[in-house]
Amino acid sequence: MHILMIECNPNGIAGIANALELGHDVTLVSVDPDFYLGVSPLAEAAYAHPKCQVIKSEQAFSIEDLTALARNLHAEKPVHGVTTYSEYHTVHTAAVAEALGLPGMSVEGARNARHKHLTRTTLDGTGVRQPRFAHVADPAEVEAAVREIGFPCVVKPSDGTASLHVLHLKDEQDLRDYLAELADVVDYGRGVVRIPDILIEEFVTGELISVESCVLGNGEVVNLGLTDRPLSGFPHFIEMGATYFSGHPLQDELFATTTRVLNELGVDFGFIHTEYLLSADGPVLCEVNGRLIGGIVPSLMQITSGVDPYLEVIRQALGERPELPFPGETTAGGHWFGAPVAGTVDAIGFDAIEELPGFHSALAYKKPGTPVTRLSRSNFDWIGHIIFTGADRAEVNKRCEAALDGIDLRMKVDVAR
């Protein structure tokens, strides 16, 4: 079978590697294929595999050009499945799958999930609990919208991901600083052009938690499990950990709401990630991502269920019924970490934590000699992660927190002058 992968994400290279191992042909279309060589230890071997074709295309973010490219590929060597692990490219993937007559999400559903303002406006008036919000397409209208919602509030680009440019605003100075920063942001790198739409939302307090789901080919929503997402604190919202589990007191309500949300949005295919804030009034919808959850969570899902979700994404794209990674008896969780100051990585060591109870794995994202920034703005500030298992999420989180103190991070920093 021939799989067309439209961009990827660093951890998603594992899905490409697994598909190649099973004998599938994989074509990866990317604006910058070298990016993955720098962030995934699996990319080099995958690219060198005889069944892997890597196409560098500056048009990978243009739906029209990408569709034309896909049609040409399909004519040369029939494509049997189209997919992505990239949040930025979910609409593109849906459009290409539709053009080739292959399984995939509806373009409307993908767009409603991808663009946060469309999620809000589509669900407005349906009874789904959302924060009060204002949507503007002109940056000149942001100030008025912020005053409509009131301080404190949260501002975010409609098409962002990984907490990029998502900020808690407490006063007028925060607003002025944010507008000045956003004025310089025209893209997210790798050819991804930012749309002008911005959401201003009421600030909602509460634990961040997500529902991981799979929508089968007939539109049936299967809710799999929950992922908790501790955050780093204000003013940015950096995700610092994750535990994949089941059994939360609000699980039934979260599952029922997710099914309703996905149906209302027209999200009718694939693995889906839906985030909520657990407010005093109940779960408040944060956002919907029309793809498999990112970061380390697919690995956590595989540890506890024995099912590789990266591979199941590909199987579903090929028209097969995926095996579903429900949480098992063992709970798996992890924690990301960053640098306390800007500098250059000398070494990141895990020797002191490898014998701790429940240790599963650890990974440094930065090689010696790599410049890093202080953990301060987004998930892209992570420099590594650790993963532990335990009987439940309380034990897993406790083990992860204790292990952070055992990480041997060595850096070179400039002296204060």
Side-chain angles (χ1 to χ4, degrees), residues 46-248:
Y47 286 8
H49 196 285
K51 285 184 170 288
C52 184
Q53 179 183 15
V54 179
I55 296 177
K56 181 175 182 178
S57 172
E58 295 296 332
Q59 284 74 46
F61 199 67
S62 163
I63 290 179
E64 183 178 344
D65 292 341
L66 181 63
T67 300
L69 173 63
R71 289 187 189 279
N72 290 335
L73 286 171
H74 186 57
E76 295 170 5
K77 184 177 185 178
V79 173
H80 303 100
V82 183
T83 193
T84 188
Y85 301 116
S86 167
E87 173 65 18
Y88 292 128
H89 297 83
T90 52
V91 179
H92 302 69
T93 301
V96 170
E98 179 181 80
L100 299 184
L102 296 171
M105 191 184 300
S106 71
V107 175
E108 180 184 15
R111 191 174 287 115
N112 284 341
R114 173 74 189 102
H115 298 302
K116 296 175 178 62
H117 72 281
L118 292 180
T119 302
R120 293 284 182 238
T121 55
T122 302
L123 294 174
D124 197 24
T126 64
V128 173
R129 193 181 289 114
Q130 301 192 93
R132 289 185 300 110
F133 70 92
H135 159 237
V136 301
D138 183 347
E141 300 172 356
V142 172
E143 289 189 54
V146 167
R147 293 188 178 92
E148 175 189 338
I149 299 299
F151 293 111
C153 64
V154 176
V155 287
K156 60 180 73 171
S158 180
D159 60 347
T161 189
S163 300
L164 269 176
H165 312 298
V166 179
L167 204 67
H168 171 270
L169 303 185
K170 65 181 183 301
D171 54 31
E172 296 284 348
Q173 186 59 53
D174 282 353
L175 174 58
R176 287 191 291 271
D177 292 345
Y178 180 79
L179 291 174
E181 173 189 307
L182 202 63
D184 295 330
V185 180
V186 296
D187 62 55
Y188 299 117
R190 291 184 287 152
V192 180
V193 179
R194 184 176 77 83
I195 65 173
D197 298 78
I198 298 172
L199 268 181
I200 300 91
E201 298 179 349
E202 164 193 17
F203 175 58
V204 177
T205 59
E207 178 187 7
L208 179 65
I209 201 164
S210 63
V211 176
E212 315 313 329
S213 312
C214 183
V215 186
L216 301 176
N218 57 5
E220 176 190 356
V221 177
V222 181
N223 295 302
L224 306 171
L226 304 171
T227 308
D228 61 11
R229 313 298 286 262
L231 300 174
S232 64
F234 304 139
H236 299 277
F237 298 85
I238 310 173
E239 297 172 359
M240 294 309 301
T243 307
Y244 183 58
F245 69 103
S246 64
H248 192 283

Side-chain angles (χ1 to χ4, degrees), residues 11 13 22 33 65 102 139 148 162 221 267 281 325 329 331 339 363 379 416:
N11 292 304
I13 296 295
L22 290 177
D65 292 341
L102 296 171
E148 175 189 338
V221 177
V267 175
D281 297 325
E329 293 183 6
T331 300
L363 181 66
N379 298 355

Side-chain angles (χ1 to χ4, degrees), residues 7 25 34 36-37 48 59 112 125 140 155 170 198 210 220 228 275 289-290 301 305 341-342 353 368 383 388 412:
E7 288 290 354
D25 294 292
D34 289 346
Y36 301 108
L37 291 172
Q59 284 74 46
N112 284 341
V155 287
K170 65 181 183 301
I198 298 172
S210 63
E220 176 190 356
D228 61 11
E275 296 183 354
N289 300 137
M301 297 169 84
S305 70
V341 295
I353 70 172
I383 63 172
F388 278 76
K412 292 178 181 176

Side-chain angles (χ1 to χ4, degrees), residues 334-384:
H335 207 293
W336 291 281
F337 61 92
V341 295
T344 302
V345 171
D346 241 2
I348 303 176
F350 303 105
D351 290 350
I353 70 172
E354 290 177 350
E355 299 303 320
L356 294 177
F359 175 82
H360 180 274
S361 58
L363 181 66
Y365 302 163
K366 306 298 182 182
K367 298 176 182 178
T370 304
V372 295
T373 58
R374 181 176 70 87
L375 178 73
S376 60
R377 301 185 69 82
S378 77
N379 298 355
F380 291 109
D381 292 335
W382 296 332
I383 63 172

